[in-house]
Amino acid sequence: MISVVLIVFAGAEKGVAYMEKKLEELERLSQEDAVTGLLNRRGGVKRIEELIKEYNNKTGALIMLDGDYFKKINSSYGHQNGELVIKECARQVQEWFSDAGVVFRLGADEFIVFYANSDVDSVRAKILGFTKKKKVAKVSEGIEVPFTFSAGVAMYPECGIDFEELMNHADIALYNAKLEGRACFRLYSDGMMIPNREQFMFDIDEMAKGMPGGFFVYEAGGDERLLYISDSIVRLFKCDSDMDFRQHVGNSFRGMVHPDDIKMVEETIRHQQFSTEGNENHTDYVRYRIVCKDGSEKRVDDFGRLVHDNTFGDVYYVFLLDLDDRIFGGRSLL
């Protein structure tokens, strides 16, 4: 009888150990992000709170990272490829900030980095290097997708003594970084502009649809490759789709301009951009003809601006107005 009890007890002990192991595994999984393998919000916040207690009298920093234009990556390359980009984002964040106390995925393309014992100069140098570093993710068919991050930084304990307060201030700093051009960072300070969330509710495609003319973006150098075109540009050229238009013009700004006008157009833009005194805003204006897919010609006014994009380098943003479209009370603009 005694031997039977011992056998039962031994079996129960193994069962308890097994259950404890399973519970530990479940607890670990509950704190792990399923896509990236990083800590999730639950696990990350818990670890940060532990570090704040451990380094109570030390200076630290909470960095909030947010991917720039990630929704565009999803819509351009598909959600499956978007997930591959997220994984690469996570890998690079974890690698770059490997010396931080905590790195976790907040959600979507947002990540939190927490330094438990670091000064503001070290944090500034670290985040500057990361936001300026060129980052690329390889997706299906070997396509390389460039991506950038904006960041907001809140110093501990100056900007907060717990996670929620630090994150709130880092979020405000991040908002200001987004407003100032993205692919940069801002340190939180009193008096920073409070987020106006409606500012980012407007989508470039929706705005382009509402413009009284066409809008497109092209690279300033090389083949002057078209990076973005609005639906109104497709209609202006009497094409059936985005792809149809790009094939019609050879996916280049040069292909949009009438062959007899291209030399004049490029010389005019070059002169206005680089030889006109006082043109600090790098704007230009030129009038030329375009050739539609059906062979008809149209006159357009081209209002351009040369800007530097952190992903694509120097690019032109262009607003195109169809001069032959009677939009003002049935009267031509001329």
Side-chain angles (χ1 to χ4, degrees):
M1 184 68 176
I2 292 174
S3 61
V4 173
V5 172
L6 289 174
I7 292 170
V8 172
F9 182 78
E13 191 176 49
K14 287 182 178 180
V16 170
Y18 175 78
M19 289 302 296
E20 287 178 346
K21 185 177 180 181
K22 280 296 180 182
L23 287 172
E24 288 176 3
E25 185 179 351
L26 288 172
E27 177 64 16
R28 178 183 63 80
L29 290 173
S30 73
Q31 297 184 34
E32 183 179 290
D33 178 62
V35 175
T36 65
L38 297 177
L39 288 172
N40 59 20
R41 177 172 181 141
R42 182 172 180 267
V45 172
K46 179 182 177 182
R47 183 63 184 133
I48 287 174
E49 289 174 343
E50 291 171 351
L51 287 174
I52 286 176
K53 289 179 181 179
E54 184 179 346
Y55 293 91
N56 197 331
N57 298 316
K58 303 290 186 179
T59 301
L62 187 142
I63 303 169
M64 190 172 185
L65 296 161
D66 185 61
D68 298 321
Y69 305 112
F70 185 73
K71 288 182 180 178
K72 288 294 177 189
I73 292 176
N74 267 341
S75 59
S76 298
Y77 300 99
H79 288 275
Q80 187 173 358
N81 283 325
E83 188 170 290
L84 292 177
V85 176
I86 283 291
K87 289 179 179 179
E88 179 61 19
C89 287
R91 188 193 68 78
Q92 293 201 28
V93 169
Q94 187 175 36
E95 184 178 276
W96 190 269
F97 297 102
S98 59
D99 56 335
V102 182
V103 177
F104 74 89
R105 185 186 181 197
L106 186 62
D109 55 336
E110 294 180 315
F111 299 85
I112 296 290
V113 175
F114 184 73
Y115 280 96
N117 185 16
S118 188
D119 60 85
V120 65
D121 290 333
S122 298
V123 170
R124 182 185 285 112
K126 193 77 175 181
I127 192 64
L128 178 63
F130 183 73
T131 53
K132 296 304 179 186
K133 176 177 175 283
K134 186 176 181 180
K135 293 172 279 293
V136 173
K138 285 189 176 181
V139 296
S140 62
E141 299 179 3
I143 297 171
E144 294 189 342
V145 180
F147 62 92
T148 59
F149 277 99
S150 298
V153 184
M155 298 301 298
Y156 168 85
E158 178 186 345
C159 302
I161 58 173
D162 59 32
F163 173 77
E164 291 300 330
E165 190 176 10
L166 287 168
M167 190 176 78
N168 180 55
H169 287 145
D171 186 44
I172 293 173
L174 172 63
Y175 171 83
N176 282 263
K178 293 279 189 180
L179 283 183
E180 293 183 34
R182 294 179 167 82
C184 64
F185 78 97
R186 291 294 177 267
L187 286 163
Y188 175 80
S189 62
D190 291 337
M192 269 189 163
M193 186 179 295
I194 302 300
N196 174 12
R197 300 301 178 188
E198 290 81 3
Q199 179 76 21
F200 298 122
M201 290 297 288
F202 288 92
D203 179 86
I204 186 172
D205 289 328
E206 293 302 317
M207 289 191 292
K209 288 177 184 176
M211 290 180 179
F215 176 71
F216 64 97
V217 182
Y218 70 95
E219 289 180 327
D223 296 328
E224 298 183 340
R225 180 169 61 103
L226 294 169
L227 301 173
Y228 173 86
I229 56 169
S230 65
D231 289 342
S232 49
I233 289 289
V234 175
R235 294 193 299 271
L236 177 63
F237 279 77
K238 300 181 180 180
C239 292
D240 299 324
S241 65
D242 179 297
M243 184 175 293
D244 186 37
F245 166 77
R246 290 180 186 273
Q247 289 176 344
H248 172 59
V249 301
N251 200 34
S252 168
F253 169 64
R254 291 194 186 104
M256 294 175 63
V257 183
H258 192 291
D260 293 341
D261 294 350
I262 187 62
K263 183 177 180 181
M264 175 275 296
V265 168
E266 291 189 330
E267 288 179 353
T268 301
I269 292 175
R270 190 180 305 112
H271 175 76
Q272 292 180 8
Q273 287 288 347
F274 307 110
S275 301
T276 302
E277 187 177 351
N279 189 13
E280 290 84 4
N281 290 325
H282 294 285
T283 56
D284 62 70
Y285 160 75
V286 62
R287 178 172 293 180
Y288 53 84
R289 292 169 295 167
I290 62 172
V291 181
C292 301
K293 186 182 176 183
D294 65 2
S296 61
E297 297 180 5
K298 287 178 175 288
R299 298 170 301 159
V300 295
D301 272 353
D302 174 313
F303 303 88
R305 184 178 185 187
L306 178 65
V307 301
H308 182 78
D309 182 86
N310 288 296
T311 301
F312 296 102
D314 290 337
V315 300
Y316 280 103
Y317 281 65
V318 183
F319 175 74
L320 209 62
L321 191 62
D322 179 5
L323 291 177
D324 297 323
D325 186 7
R326 299 176 179 273
I327 59 175
F328 296 113
R331 292 174 296 173
S332 172
L333 289 175
L334 290 182

